Amino acid sequence: MTIARRPAIRVALLGAAALNVLAVAAPLAAQTAPDPSLGVTAQPAPTQAPQDPAPAQTDSVADPSVGQGETEEIIITGIRGSLQSATNAKRNAVAFGDSIFAEDIGKLPATNLAETLNRIPGVRLNRDISGEGTQVSIRGLGPSFSKVLLNGAQFAVASDGGTNGTGGGNREVDLDFFPSELFTRLDVNKSPVASMLEGGIAGTVNLRNARAFDNPGTHVTVVAQGAYTDSNDRIGPRGALVASHTFGDTFGILLGVAGVHQKLRIDGYDTVGFTDANLPCGAGCNVSPPESNGFVFANTAPANLGRGFVTGQPLDLAATSGLSLSQLSKAIIPRLGRPVLTTGTRERISAVGSAEWRPSDALHLVVDGIYAKSRRDYLRSNMNWQVRNSGPGTSPQSTGGMVPFNIQVDQNNVVTSGTFANSSFFSENSIFNQDTEFWNVNPSISWRPNERLKIDLSGNWGKSNFFREQPTFAFQTAPNSGVEVTYDNTTNSPQPIISANRDLGDPNLGWQWYRVNVQNVRRETETKGAHLDVYYGDDTLNVKIGAAYDEAARSVRAFDNTNAYQLSVCGNPCTGNTGTVPTSAIPQYLNRTGIDNFGHLSRGRFGVTSFIVPDIARLAQATNYAQFRDTAPEARGSVTGGATGDVFEKVYGGYFELNGVSEIFGRELRANAGFRYVWTDQRVVGPSQIGSTIVDITANSSYQEVLPSLNLTYDVARNLKLRFAASKALTRPDAGSILPGITFSDPSAQIATAGNPQLQPYTSDNLDLGGEFYTGGAGYIGVALFRKNIQGFTVTVQQPTPFGDLNIPLDSLQATQRQALIDRAGGTNASAAAIAAVPITVNRPINLQSLIIKGVEVTWNQPLDFAIKGLGFQANGTHITQDSDPVLVNGTPQTLVASGVPKWQYNVQGYYEDHGLSLSLNYVWQGGVIAANAPQNNLPLPLRADSRGQLDLSAGYQLPFLDNGVRLTLDVLNITNEPIRTTFGYDNAAYSVYYPGRQVLVGLRARF
């Protein structure tokens, strides 16, 4: 049956998919050098993987049962075809690396490119709190140590890491921005070659978008899905439409669009760290560091304490707590233990266009273009148990200090249970409205005037804009109002149980203003470049030389109108006695959360599950919020705590590369050797405070490197291949770390961040040794050993610094920050010297002289057709160790580690494909890691991310009509409902826990 005989059905299917995509897009309306492969040249020589491989669904192999004079072509399709293409690419490559091929356009095996890359050995995924993969790390090193290319050229996206805006300095790339439906091949290069763009000590990832000649002819692919998430019982549409046509073998064009609209809800628990009390108790007590001293207990009985105490009565804290004062001073509890509710929508529309012109066999021209736009509109509501900065004070927000009763601690001084009378809560509600746009164009031309000479010329231009408004409205329970907290950390739940003796969801509980903020962030990136590659020779010996010019500009600017807005809304200080919304009017703007099952995905109980949330729209209108947002002046610090400023880089590069094939003992030896020279000019501009004025400070620097590389493969036997590589690689320092000045945006006035514009690039001397045994078809067993000796590696540590040393005028701070400093210095009558002496925890980059990372990767891909036709599996595992030279942290020698490096990780996939049915079950497990080095919050403890495994199912069934062009699809993600959890040094000190839940996608995929 042909499509032509069923035009009505075809039109209906295309129309349905188009409507699905338009439904997503409506709210948003408003060098392509030849693919760098895992090999070494653009010439189809034995030293590299195929440049433009045939589509995976049409890979062919010779049947060994056929006689010598004849060959029978067997077409391998689907999952097995994709794996076969990946195996072919690996076998043909001279360098270390892996590839993933789409079975067909729109069929890369995941919802975005980060999720897809997570299946490659040695690749670790960074996940957003929504559970979706955002960035990838290779062989243990963080996302900024991987160079991500688009069609062989550099690019940057201005987004900042996901829902909460915790992402880095834009050397990382948020891959959740790119839908897998518009890409057909992903390459991960783990050992460099001279012709490859520098910048990735960990490795280089190349993303290859779909093109018309991937599958000549006329084709239309339609994907229409509904995505259900059990965190909120909502369904959102996903869709894609890709059409391509080739005019003979001369011209081809492809256009594609993909979109998603998702309603989001994430329940979680967060702390912003742990702390202990500022409690004088004799020699050896109250020393910071190693103590945090983040709050003060009451020393006299506050009003409404009850329990037979008289207001003003002196307190014996040892008697009330059941601990000695020394023990009590070291007992750690969450700074802001809080349930967190994040709700909202996420929308994304992406489009790709590609045109290819092949006027002759010698000339090939390509233009690729990508556009994407994303919008995230979230409301994050926290109900904070206010430990941080709590204590006696003179501000309207001063709590008077908690009184501890019946406190129990474990051997690590972690509080396991107790009651904290005279506690206070504040409801913190922040809007995250963020928009991101991205454009990228890659033109390229390839000319082969004769069989021995090939010239490639490519260019690239990309631009991305990001804007987020993040206002905050916070309300506090009245101080000294009899609120008590029962703290239970003995239940083996992922988070402790924090319960209150008051209904925190009651709008009439007596809420008062805590603070308001108006803070915006604007980020921009622009990249452009031109690359020339010249190849001369043949398959057995060839030379490649080239030159490259690349520019990258990154700008992060913050805007803050908090002081003016707070004065208008609730006065300064924020008493609520004056302003557009006085304290008496607050209840009319508050509501109880509109859900009755907060924490329903948790494997343990939550304490507070119902709490107030404000009517943001009414508050914004009543307080003229939009005017204050639009007139916010520039500030020196971002609301997320990241540095602000501009980074401009110009990179000049050139390389020489030699490729050859020879025989030793009758077996083929392939070699690639060369060097790359790079010169980088860098200009850094950062805002600095001079008196009451923001002034840009500029720093210029330049550096150069020569990066040699050698890659060898030797065929020990027909199916056994050995590999060796030695190289030097470079990664430029994180753009956020080289911005000058101090960022001090923490509302509690406890944490600041410092940059260093003089940071030099990291270099790494790399050794790789491995090989594969090919078992037939897509099957092989591979082992790779690697060692990286990284010089100049930088990690971030926390150091206490007197406020006076930050050179920040007190009057330039937000009103909430000023009052917090004054309270910590002794209250209203505190002297200037006392305020200047208040310790601030400063995050600073520390340079390690040497960091050595060693590891082993093992891979086994095996079809099991000999047992059951269509059955197979692939499995890989990675083990990594690291070591570094000790450095002085706060005067103490300390061995720091590269954060985010798991000792163990593995991935197992089983698949079956036959009779129109395809099933794939994939499990990825990543071991626990150090997320941030000690000290944290002045305590000698690191942040740790728990180990986590995720089980996903992908299934499809080919319907028996329309020439078998329609498939039912089912994808189930995070089947076992795994949370995302981090801890503060110890397993029973939960730092954060988020429950993204399961996601089920059901739909149709049609190809005509």
Side-chain angles (χ1 to χ4, degrees):
M1 181 180 298
T2 65
I3 297 175
R5 294 176 185 172
R6 291 291 184 91
I9 295 176
R10 178 174 60 178
V11 171
L13 283 170
L14 292 176
L19 287 173
N20 197 42
V21 173
L22 289 174
V24 174
L28 290 170
Q31 197 159 127
T32 293
D35 293 346
S37 65
L38 301 178
V40 291
T41 71
Q43 178 77 8
T47 51
Q48 85 152 62
Q51 182 64 86
D52 285 304
Q57 71 275 11
T58 58
D59 277 9
S60 60
V61 298
D63 186 342
S65 64
V66 179
Q68 172 125 20
E70 21 179 343
T71 300
E72 178 182 347
E73 188 177 57
I74 301 174
I75 305 300
I76 302 175
T77 63
I79 299 172
R80 291 183 298 162
S82 174
L83 295 176
Q84 179 72 66
S85 292
T87 299
N88 290 345
K90 188 174 189 72
R91 190 168 191 170
N92 292 333
V94 72
F96 285 80
D98 295 276
S99 299
I100 293 180
F101 290 79
E103 306 167 45
D104 191 5
I105 289 175
K107 292 189 71 177
L108 275 175
T111 54
N112 68 50
L113 296 186
E115 297 280 357
T116 303
L117 289 165
N118 195 34
R119 305 176 183 222
I120 285 181
V123 173
R124 178 179 181 269
L125 194 60
N126 287 11
R127 293 190 180 275
D128 187 27
I129 64 170
S130 65
E132 186 171 24
T134 54
Q135 301 168 351
V136 294
S137 303
I138 301 174
R139 288 183 167 176
L141 293 170
S144 62
F145 289 87
S146 300
K147 184 77 169 182
V148 181
L149 307 176
L150 179 58
N151 297 317
Q154 73 164 350
F155 72 107
V157 180
S159 56
D160 67 350
T163 304
N164 289 341
T166 57
N170 290 135
R171 294 206 194 276
E172 307 92 337
V173 175
D174 291 342
L175 294 173
D176 61 330
F177 205 64
F178 299 98
S180 57
E181 293 90 347
L182 304 183
F183 292 80
T184 55
R185 177 175 177 175
L186 311 177
D187 294 317
V188 177
N189 296 0
K190 299 175 182 177
S191 65
V193 295
S195 55
M196 183 188 305
L197 283 181
E198 78 291 337
I201 282 178
T204 301
V205 178
N206 186 53
L207 317 176
R208 162 70 150 75
N209 64 252
R211 291 175 179 167
F213 279 103
D214 291 345
N215 194 6
T218 301
H219 303 284
V220 177
T221 299
V222 181
V223 179
Q225 293 178 311
Y228 164 82
T229 304
D230 67 356
S231 61
N232 59 1
D233 289 327
R234 298 295 184 91
I235 299 176
R238 294 178 59 93
L241 177 63
V242 183
S244 65
H245 179 72
T246 56
F247 300 85
D249 57 2
T250 302
F251 184 74
I253 187 169
L254 179 143
L255 298 172
V257 62
V260 61
H261 178 92
Q262 182 181 11
K263 291 187 179 295
L264 184 80
R265 171 185 155 189
I266 306 160
D267 299 352
Y269 167 83
D270 203 350
T271 63
V272 199
F274 276 63
T275 188
D276 55 24
N278 186 336
L279 180 62
C281 53
C285 288
N286 198 36
V287 178
S288 176
E291 296 181 25
S292 180
N293 300 339
F295 67 99
V296 178
F297 285 120
N299 53 26
T300 61
N304 299 308
L305 177 60
R307 298 174 182 260
F309 288 90
V310 177
T311 302
Q313 173 185 344
L315 293 173
D316 183 349
L317 295 180
T320 63
S321 68
L323 301 176
S324 69
L325 291 182
S326 177
Q327 287 177 304
L328 185 61
S329 74
K330 296 177 173 59
I332 63 172
I333 55 177
R335 297 175 73 219
L336 293 175
R338 59 195 187 183
V340 181
L341 174 64
T342 305
T343 58
T345 59
R346 179 196 177 208
E347 301 163 344
R348 183 195 68 215
I349 188 75
S350 306
V352 63
S354 179
E356 296 180 83
W357 184 36
R358 301 176 174 182
S360 68
D361 291 340
L363 192 61
H364 183 190
L365 296 90
V366 180
V367 177
D368 295 304
I370 291 181
Y371 171 79
K373 183 173 184 178
S374 171
R375 172 176 295 167
R376 300 173 187 255
D377 292 336
Y378 299 148
L379 171 63
R380 177 184 167 107
S381 297
N382 311 319
M383 182 54 70
N384 300 265
W385 175 30
Q386 186 181 352
V387 173
R388 180 190 70 186
N389 276 352
S390 65
T394 57
S395 75
Q397 288 74 36
S398 297
T399 67
M402 300 182 296
V403 181
F405 289 94
N406 304 319
I407 307 300
Q408 300 289 322
V409 297
D410 65 10
Q411 68 274 18
N412 298 315
N413 296 319
V414 178
V415 173
T416 57
S417 65
T419 299
F420 295 85
N422 197 46
S423 283
S424 179
F425 283 84
F426 70 91
S427 168
E428 183 182 32
N429 306 273
S430 299
I431 289 178
F432 289 80
N433 287 348
Q434 51 198 52
D435 294 279
T436 310
E437 279 192 285
F438 171 77
W439 304 264
N440 196 83
V441 178
N442 297 86
S444 67
I445 181 171
S446 179
W447 180 45
R448 185 189 292 273
N450 58 55
E451 288 297 319
R452 299 183 61 83
L453 179 64
K454 184 170 181 283
I455 301 172
D456 294 323
L457 180 64
S458 63
N460 62 278
W461 175 84
K463 187 175 179 63
S464 182
N465 298 321
F466 170 89
F467 178 78
R468 180 176 63 245
E469 58 172 316
Q470 189 176 329
T472 297
F473 300 87
F475 308 90
Q476 182 184 15
T477 56
N480 305 320
S481 58
V483 176
E484 285 193 0
V485 163
T486 300
Y487 185 80
D488 185 0
N489 196 20
T490 63
T491 63
N492 294 321
S493 295
Q495 64 281 324
I497 311 304
I498 300 174
S499 303
N501 67 338
R502 297 289 191 270
D503 181 4
L504 299 176
D506 181 1
N508 297 300
L509 183 60
W511 298 96
Q512 65 180 39
W513 279 109
Y514 183 73
R515 74 168 191 271
V516 293
N517 296 82
V518 178
Q519 296 171 300
N520 306 326
V521 179
R522 188 179 304 278
R523 303 165 70 103
E524 296 179 356
T525 64
E526 184 173 9
T527 56
K528 52 187 174 183
H531 301 164
L532 173 66
D533 301 278
V534 178
Y535 167 99
Y536 183 79
D538 56 27
D539 291 354
T540 58
L541 183 63
N542 60 76
V543 173
K544 193 174 182 182
I545 59 173
Y549 172 76
D550 287 287
E551 283 188 24
R554 301 169 175 86
S555 176
V556 181
R557 294 287 173 165
F559 305 87
D560 194 317
N561 215 358
T562 292
N563 287 339
Y565 187 54
Q566 184 164 289
L567 178 64
S568 173
V569 174
C570 58
N572 187 9
C574 189
T575 62
N577 296 328
T578 61
T580 54
V581 180
T583 299
S584 60
I586 288 176
Q588 65 180 288
Y589 295 100
L590 302 182
N591 302 296
R592 188 181 295 272
T593 51
I595 61 173
D596 58 7
N597 63 346
F598 179 86
H600 66 290
L601 298 178
S602 171
R603 297 175 179 176
R605 293 187 299 112
F606 270 86
V608 175
T609 59
S610 181
F611 42 90
I612 60 164
V613 292
D615 187 331
I616 297 290
R618 288 186 60 216
L619 268 176
Q621 184 176 9
T623 59
N624 199 20
Y625 160 73
Q627 177 182 347
F628 288 93
R629 175 199 63 198
D630 297 339
T631 58
E634 185 174 355
R636 58 180 285 163
S638 167
V639 60
T640 61
T644 61
D646 309 317
V647 179
F648 304 92
E649 291 175 338
K650 294 182 178 180
V651 180
Y652 307 85
Y655 72 89
F656 172 85
E657 188 176 282
L658 181 66
N659 305 283
V661 180
S662 184
E663 284 193 0
I664 298 180
F665 303 117
R667 295 293 181 180
E668 187 174 83
L669 173 70
R670 290 185 293 165
N672 160 262
F675 66 90
R676 186 175 190 91
Y677 170 80
V678 292
W679 176 286
T680 302
D681 285 330
Q682 179 177 280
R683 179 164 59 93
V684 179
V685 180
S688 184
Q689 186 96 30
I690 307 297
S692 59
T693 305
I694 300 292
V695 177
D696 280 343
I697 304 298
T698 300
N700 295 299
S701 63
S702 62
Y703 48 85
Q704 58 185 322
E705 286 289 346
V706 176
L707 306 173
S709 62
L710 171 68
N711 291 272
L712 302 171
T713 67
Y714 180 64
D715 293 342
V716 178
R718 185 175 62 88
N719 290 330
L720 180 60
K721 184 181 294 287
L722 294 182
R723 301 179 184 276
F724 172 79
S727 62
K728 183 178 183 180
L730 169 148
T731 286
R732 297 176 177 88
D734 189 297
S737 297
I738 58 179
L739 291 169
I742 298 286
T743 299
F744 192 40
S745 57
D746 174 25
S748 70
Q750 290 187 344
I751 299 175
T753 301
N756 181 1
Q758 300 304 316
L759 284 179
Q760 292 296 301
Y762 320 119
T763 60
S764 176
D765 296 322
N766 312 307
L767 290 175
D768 297 81
L769 178 66
E772 305 90 40
F773 175 74
Y774 293 88
T775 60
Y780 73 91
I781 299 171
V783 177
L785 306 173
F786 59 90
R787 184 182 189 275
K788 297 179 181 294
N789 186 353
I790 303 172
Q791 304 298 316
F793 189 83
T794 299
V795 296
T796 299
V797 299
Q798 295 187 336
Q799 297 176 328
T801 303
F803 171 72
D805 290 354
L806 301 185
N807 297 319
I808 299 176
L810 183 65
D811 291 341
S812 70
L813 301 181
Q814 298 172 8
T816 305
Q817 292 179 302
R818 287 199 303 272
Q819 191 61 56
L821 281 173
I822 291 170
D823 283 347
R824 289 167 61 197
T828 304
N829 298 321
S831 65
I835 295 173
V838 171
I840 306 298
T841 300
V842 179
N843 294 312
R844 295 183 184 275
I846 295 293
N847 194 267
L848 302 183
Q849 294 303 312
S850 177
L851 171 70
I852 296 176
I853 290 182
K854 295 182 288 186
V856 56
E857 296 170 351
V858 179
T859 306
W860 188 4
N861 289 350
Q862 189 59 58
L864 299 174
D865 290 329
F866 59 86
I868 299 176
K869 183 180 179 183
L871 189 67
F873 71 88
Q874 59 171 335
N876 61 72
T878 305
H879 175 61
I880 298 175
T881 61
Q882 58 174 312
D883 187 32
S884 67
D885 295 332
V887 296
L888 288 178
V889 178
N890 299 329
T892 303
Q894 184 174 331
T895 299
L896 304 178
V897 300
S899 59
V901 180
K903 283 189 176 181
W904 296 96
Q905 66 184 78
Y906 64 84
N907 175 25
V908 179
Q909 179 191 22
Y911 62 86
Y912 172 79
E913 190 171 48
D914 201 9
H915 304 295
L917 175 67
S918 65
L919 290 171
S920 174
L921 195 62
N922 192 72
Y923 183 73
V924 177
W925 183 87
Q926 296 171 159
V929 301
I930 299 293
N933 281 280
Q936 294 292 318
N937 305 130
N938 284 341
L939 294 172
L941 299 171
L943 294 186
R944 300 179 184 272
D946 280 6
S947 59
R948 185 177 187 272
Q950 180 162 317
L951 181 65
D952 299 331
L953 169 71
S954 181
Y957 181 71
Q958 185 173 286
L959 299 178
F961 50 79
L962 289 177
D963 287 340
N964 296 321
V966 180
R967 295 179 66 84
L968 289 173
T969 63
L970 170 67
D971 296 276
V972 186
L973 310 179
N974 196 17
I975 294 173
T976 56
N977 183 31
E978 296 297 323
I980 300 171
R981 183 175 186 263
T982 57
T983 60
F984 194 90
Y986 308 113
D987 186 62
N988 66 338
Y991 178 85
S992 66
V993 190
Y994 291 100
Y995 296 92
R998 304 171 187 85
Q999 189 174 19
V1000 181
L1001 297 88
V1002 180
L1004 288 172
R1005 180 183 180 280
R1007 181 173 183 272
F1008 308 103

